Amino acid sequence: MSETGPPAGGTAGPPVLDAAGPPDGSPAPRPRSSGRFWSARRVPAGIVAVLLLAGSALLLYDVVAVRAGRPATRWRRALARQLAERPLDDIWVLTGAGVAAALGLWLFVLAVTPGLRSLLPMRRPHPDVRAGLRREAAAQVLRDRAMEVSGVRSVRVRLRRGRAAVRALAHFRDLDEVRADLDAVLGDAVGGLGLSRVPALSVRVRRAGRKG
């Protein structure tokens, strides 16, 4: 594996992997696609663990106290009375059920979704190596490459996992020529990022407004 350094006076491009085959002459392994990175969800998991631990400890203490011959705590008696007396269509019962359902849905979504949307997975040339590229870094690479095109005044890049939207302002040259050059340059740049899922390229060019 080899890395190319940044050109003099320019910005650093994405890491370049050596495409040469193994020294024994066998064909190089085909790059494998890589799924999204999963977030550890430490904050939600920690909050849920602390709440469950506190609630379980409080309930266990009250149960042990009752078994030891002491009366149940006031909060548990009040809760049992409220649950026995309030009808199911009571506003507070419906509100509590709605809050519990919303929290459960939120936890379910966190459990089945990977998260880390700012980290784009890259192709895997080796099964034991997995890499990712920050969305901001990839967008910066495309922006720098677009600014190298003659006639481009400013560029905005919005990069998603499946689409790269580029909006450019041109202050001279024909718009069709600038758009054609941007399509060619950015097409090579998007492919050179080494992403597992190459985003579709959308380029729009318009003339910069005149001041005054």
Side-chain angles (χ1 to χ4, degrees):
M1 182 181 294
S2 63
E3 280 192 8
T4 58
T11 57
V16 179
L17 300 181
D18 192 354
D24 58 359
S26 58
R30 185 177 180 181
R32 298 173 53 188
S33 61
S34 178
R36 288 175 57 184
F37 291 86
W38 282 75
S39 174
R41 313 286 192 188
R42 292 184 177 89
V43 174
I47 293 176
V48 172
V50 170
L51 292 178
L52 290 178
L53 180 62
S56 301
L58 186 61
L59 183 60
L60 180 61
Y61 172 80
D62 190 62
V63 171
V64 172
V66 171
R67 293 292 184 180
R70 297 181 180 179
T73 55
R74 183 180 302 176
W75 69 266
R76 194 155 73 96
R77 294 197 304 267
L79 179 61
R81 184 174 64 255
Q82 292 292 337
L83 292 177
E85 296 177 355
R86 288 185 179 272
L88 295 179
D89 57 351
D90 184 79
I91 184 63
W92 290 108
V93 175
L94 297 178
T95 301
V99 171
L103 291 176
L105 180 61
W106 176 61
L107 294 176
F108 178 78
V109 170
L110 291 180
V112 300
T113 54
L116 294 181
R117 299 180 62 87
S118 62
L119 193 60
L120 302 175
M122 303 179 69
R123 290 191 296 268
R124 303 178 66 176
H126 193 279
D128 296 332
V129 178
R130 193 179 185 197
L133 184 63
R134 290 286 180 183
R135 191 187 303 269
E136 297 81 3
Q140 184 64 45
V141 171
L142 299 182
R143 188 179 299 109
D144 292 343
R145 292 295 302 274
M147 289 299 298
E148 297 175 358
V149 175
S150 177
V152 175
R153 180 177 180 179
S154 63
V155 180
R156 290 188 304 170
V157 178
R158 187 176 184 182
L159 183 62
R160 298 182 180 271
R161 188 164 180 258
R163 175 176 292 273
V166 180
R167 304 293 180 262
L169 292 179
H171 58 130
F172 67 90
R173 293 184 67 195
D174 183 72
L175 294 183
D176 293 335
E177 295 179 359
V178 176
R179 185 180 297 106
D181 290 346
L182 285 174
D183 287 336
V185 170
L186 294 179
D188 294 338
V190 169
L193 292 175
L195 299 178
S196 175
R197 179 181 177 182
V198 180
L201 184 61
S202 173
V203 179
R204 292 185 181 180
V205 183
R206 64 184 179 91
R207 188 73 64 188
R210 294 185 178 182
K211 296 182 179 180

